[in-house]
Amino acid sequence: MNLITLSHGSGGIKTHNLIKDIFYHYFKNDILLQQNDASILHKLSGKIAVTTDSFVVSPTFFKGGDIGKLSICGTVNDLAVSGAKPLYITAGFILEEGLSIDILEKVVISMAETARKADVYIVAGDTKVVERGKGDKIYINTTGIGIVEDNKEVLGIEKIKQGDKVIISGTLGDHGMCIMSEREELGFDVSIKSDCAPLNDITRNILSVSKNVKIMRDPTRGGLATTLNEIAEQRGISIMLYEKEIPVKKEVLGMCEMLGFDPLYVANEGKIVLIVSNEDAETVLNVMKKNSLGEDAKIIGAVINDGKDKLYLKTEAGGTRILNMYEEEMLPRIC
């Protein structure tokens, strides 16, 4: 079995061969193959959007994805929900000595396939190797670059007002519960698939039918409740969610109940939560439902102004409770 050794991070012949045979081979594009210390990008026209992220998910492979697919989707989605068109990604790899090169190759193939699907180019990268026991197989750091065209509205929290509607693009908690179910020490025998997917197509559809989308977010770590709490606090408004409208798969809900988790706080990797004007809410909902990633989209709440900057949940029983930010790490290493 071919394994990663410290020599693969030394800058010598093994590093050269790893870059040529794995990274250049699968990420191949004209910009990357400049093979300079810095890639020279094509001239960009518009406002530039930049994001960066690191991925340490365990296990490396899971139903619906892997750390490679996740790294591309996570970066593309951060750009897409900001209203930007994702264009370029850089990828830095921290590899543990002893990692199978076959595993690395599978991860890189997955990244390349996901990048092609999202129509983005991986244009620069780096590889480092740490001693056995000083890492956990593979970590990936990415930076994403995109543009917001000059004639497009820049989304902003300051535009949110009373009466705006909250829409979620699909079921909650799929990714977090998928990762949890596949961790060996738990031994759950349930078939929950991660929702990991690039969102730039559906965000483009949304913005094509409405100029009254106020904000879009991908509710990853901390889930929907944390994301909306951040928005409420930053804008100085309150949000009311309606429990009966919030979509959650039965398998996810059942697992959450067994483990004592609330799906409102569980991570997603292929969902959008957005706030849009009341007038455009149905139009946006309908266009989302025409996209495969938005078939289960629902209007789940509304912005209210009670001067308290809170997130509320109207329960199916008719009561109302406050949804605070989660104080602890619910599910470590989910992305």
Side-chain angles (χ1 to χ4, degrees):
M1 179 184 293
N2 291 325
L3 302 177
I4 293 293
T5 67
L6 293 176
S7 298
H8 284 103
S10 69
I13 186 64
K14 284 193 173 182
T15 304
H16 173 79
N17 288 339
L18 186 71
I19 292 172
K20 181 185 70 173
D21 297 339
I22 301 292
F23 300 119
Y24 284 166
H25 178 69
Y26 293 108
F27 295 160
K28 184 177 181 180
N29 62 71
D30 291 342
I31 296 174
L32 182 66
L33 294 183
Q34 293 170 8
Q35 300 185 35
N36 294 323
D37 285 349
S39 292
I40 308 303
L41 305 179
H42 301 301
K43 185 175 181 180
L44 301 180
S45 177
K47 303 176 185 71
I48 297 175
V50 179
T51 186
T52 191
D53 209 342
S54 297
F55 299 86
V56 298
V57 66
S58 177
T60 303
F61 299 92
F62 46 85
K63 291 184 181 69
D66 55 76
I67 192 171
K69 179 182 180 181
L70 185 63
S71 69
I72 300 299
C73 290
T75 308
V76 165
N77 294 350
D78 283 347
L79 292 170
V81 297
S82 299
K85 177 183 179 181
L87 297 174
Y88 304 118
I89 290 178
T90 71
F93 294 84
I94 307 296
L95 308 177
E96 183 186 19
E97 179 187 17
L99 173 70
S100 165
I101 292 179
D102 288 343
I103 288 177
L104 175 61
E105 185 173 23
K106 289 179 182 178
V107 168
V108 169
I109 289 172
S110 179
M111 292 176 72
E113 290 175 346
T114 307
R116 280 193 290 272
K117 181 178 180 180
D119 195 24
V120 296
Y121 293 97
I122 299 171
V123 295
D126 183 52
T127 305
K128 294 293 187 294
V129 179
V130 298
E131 296 90 339
R132 193 185 301 267
K134 296 294 181 66
D136 187 1
K137 302 182 183 68
I138 178 171
Y139 302 148
I140 302 174
N141 173 267
T142 60
T143 293
I145 300 172
I147 58 167
V148 179
E149 296 174 1
D150 287 331
N151 62 337
K152 295 292 179 66
E153 290 282 333
V154 176
L155 305 183
I157 283 176
E158 70 280 356
K159 299 178 181 180
I160 298 171
K161 64 180 182 179
Q162 184 173 351
D164 289 344
K165 300 301 184 187
V166 181
I167 303 178
I168 188 72
S169 62
T171 54
L172 297 181
D174 298 353
H175 178 73
M177 287 299 99
C178 169
I179 296 300
M180 184 57 77
S181 71
E182 295 195 21
R183 290 190 173 158
E184 296 177 4
E185 64 270 20
L186 294 176
F188 282 98
D189 185 22
V190 292
S191 181
I192 299 174
K193 183 179 178 182
S194 170
D195 59 346
C196 181
L199 296 168
N200 48 330
D201 183 53
I202 189 171
T203 57
R204 183 170 57 247
N205 293 345
I206 291 167
L207 295 176
S208 72
V209 297
S210 174
K211 293 184 178 180
N212 291 308
V213 175
K214 311 300 178 68
I215 195 78
M216 294 190 291
R217 292 281 177 84
D218 55 335
T220 53
R221 287 179 298 175
L224 177 70
T226 297
T227 300
L228 291 179
N229 260 299
E230 291 172 351
I231 292 172
E233 181 181 316
Q234 292 170 26
R235 180 63 181 94
I237 47 87
S238 292
I239 298 172
M240 179 68 74
L241 298 181
Y242 304 104
E243 186 176 40
K244 67 179 181 179
E245 301 298 333
I246 298 173
V248 184
K249 288 187 174 72
K250 290 182 179 179
E251 301 91 336
V252 171
L253 184 59
M255 189 172 176
C256 284
E257 290 175 347
M258 283 190 293
L259 295 172
F261 294 147
D262 185 336
L264 292 174
Y265 293 90
V266 178
N268 315 272
E269 288 292 347
K271 298 297 188 302
I272 308 166
V273 58
L274 63 92
I275 297 179
V276 62
S277 69
N278 179 52
E279 294 78 15
D280 283 7
E282 288 294 338
T283 299
V284 169
L285 181 66
N286 289 334
V287 79
M288 291 173 73
K289 285 182 170 293
K290 293 176 183 178
N291 189 292
S292 61
L293 297 181
E295 292 174 345
D296 297 318
K298 298 269 288 193
I299 297 174
I300 60 170
V303 175
I304 62 175
N305 188 6
D306 64 354
K308 297 182 179 180
D309 309 349
K310 297 290 186 182
L311 176 64
Y312 302 102
L313 181 71
K314 179 70 74 174
T315 67
E316 291 194 63
T320 301
R321 68 184 179 95
I322 296 174
L323 298 172
N324 293 312
M325 282 197 186
Y326 205 76
E327 295 184 6
E328 305 292 338
E329 177 65 83
M330 182 185 291
L331 299 173
R333 297 193 57 190
I334 55 169
C335 62

